[in-house]
Amino acid sequence: VQLQSYLDVTDRDEYPVSETRRTFDVDVQVRHYGLPRQEITWGAGYRVSYADLPTAPTSDLPEGTESLVSFFAQDEITLEPLSLTLGAKVERNRYSGVEVQPSARAVLLLSPTTTLWAATTRAVRRPSRVERFYATVSVIDPDAPSFFRLVPNPDFESEKLWAYELGYRMRPHDRLYFTLAGFYDQWRDLLTAELLGDPFVEDDPPAPARVIVPVAFGNGLDGRSAGIEVFVDARPLGRLRLAGHYAFLN
């Protein structure tokens, strides 16, 4: 059984938004040994954070307290020559509610010197106070004059990722290792700045009249990424090690 807790104090003096934040966190983790071909780990956590957010006159971000409750469980199963790791993390936050993030990994020992593995994982980046409550104005053209006006979006959702991985590792010689891994990621509901209708002229308060372009943070972008990684580790002499690495990302 492992118990940990921390208190974090952060002060950021920036423009147009500063921050004074106080965060308290407590986590517990329990690991069960001695089960037939299994090792189970589970845990829970609670985090509470208060932020005071002074802003410039052209911006607004209200202060507030946020809390996060989380629980996770993982089961490592050994069925030689196959081993499985199954797990999930469940979080509850004030903005998007309950978020479930499962993962699964399989490792197959093809021979004493060759291993094949595959994995899939879901992850989220939960909304923050900025996407939900931040409002500000920025200049487009001071001569016109015209401005972007960012308005809060209380419906901003979590950014989501499904990640897939496949890998192969071999040791053709006691002093030579070779690893090849490929991955494919699917991204959903990524952060964008969305136009909210047509620009309009505002003259309140009076002169000078100005053109306002209203925008808000949205979830308007999806995407994909894929790539491979190759790693070679050679140790021809006891005191000499040669390593080479190549990565390609699309």
Side-chain angles (χ1 to χ4, degrees):
V1 179
Q2 175 179 296
L3 178 68
Q4 73 171 18
S5 180
Y6 69 80
L7 176 66
D8 182 75
V9 179
T10 303
D11 290 294
R12 298 169 64 96
D13 185 10
E14 296 181 338
Y15 186 90
V17 181
S18 297
E19 179 183 66
T20 299
R21 182 174 293 275
R22 307 291 182 263
T23 302
F24 173 75
D25 183 279
V26 59
D27 298 277
V28 62
Q29 179 174 301
V30 181
R31 179 168 294 181
H32 298 276
Y33 297 100
L35 299 174
R37 299 180 179 273
Q38 287 181 283
E39 182 178 311
I40 297 176
T41 306
W42 64 271
Y46 175 73
R47 181 181 305 161
V48 60
S49 181
Y50 169 78
D52 181 24
L53 302 158
T55 63
T58 57
S59 303
D60 180 62
L61 185 57
E63 65 180 9
T65 300
E66 303 166 356
S67 62
L68 177 69
V69 180
S70 62
F71 176 83
F72 81 91
Q74 175 178 287
D75 190 0
E76 299 181 39
I77 307 168
T78 302
L79 303 169
E80 295 183 357
L82 177 67
S83 63
L84 299 173
T85 302
L86 307 174
K89 184 176 185 179
V90 181
E91 294 182 340
R92 189 184 189 284
N93 66 87
R94 65 170 295 184
Y95 299 125
S96 61
V98 177
E99 299 283 3
V100 181
Q101 302 174 79
S103 65
R105 177 175 292 269
V107 179
L108 178 62
L109 190 64
L110 300 176
S111 73
T113 59
T114 307
T115 303
L116 180 69
W117 79 88
T120 182
T121 304
R122 182 183 188 268
V124 301
R125 201 277 293 179
R126 60 185 180 273
S128 71
R129 181 171 291 271
V130 171
E131 288 96 14
R132 288 296 183 98
F133 302 120
Y134 186 45
T136 190
V137 175
S138 59
V139 177
I140 301 174
D141 183 354
D143 297 326
S146 56
F147 300 86
F148 280 119
R149 176 177 291 166
L150 178 68
V151 300
N153 179 7
D155 297 321
F156 185 84
E157 301 178 5
S158 296
E159 297 178 300
K160 306 169 184 68
L161 165 68
W162 274 104
Y164 307 91
E165 181 184 0
L166 182 65
Y168 177 79
R169 175 175 294 165
M170 65 179 301
R171 189 185 63 185
H173 189 274
D174 288 345
R175 296 180 179 269
L176 179 63
Y177 295 85
F178 172 80
T179 301
L180 172 65
F183 60 90
Y184 176 76
D185 300 329
Q186 291 181 314
W187 309 82
R188 294 288 183 270
D189 301 325
L190 298 184
L191 173 68
T192 51
E194 305 286 344
L195 290 173
L196 299 179
D198 297 327
F200 61 91
V201 176
E202 184 179 71
D203 55 5
D204 184 23
R210 52 209 167 271
V211 176
I212 301 296
V213 181
V215 296
F217 289 128
N219 299 97
L221 185 65
D222 295 339
R224 297 182 301 275
S225 59
I228 60 171
E229 294 184 347
V230 181
F231 183 76
V232 180
D233 189 321
R235 306 186 184 190
L237 301 174
R239 296 186 178 183
L240 178 64
R241 177 184 179 186
L242 303 175
H245 177 256
Y246 172 78
F248 173 78
L249 172 66
N250 180 37

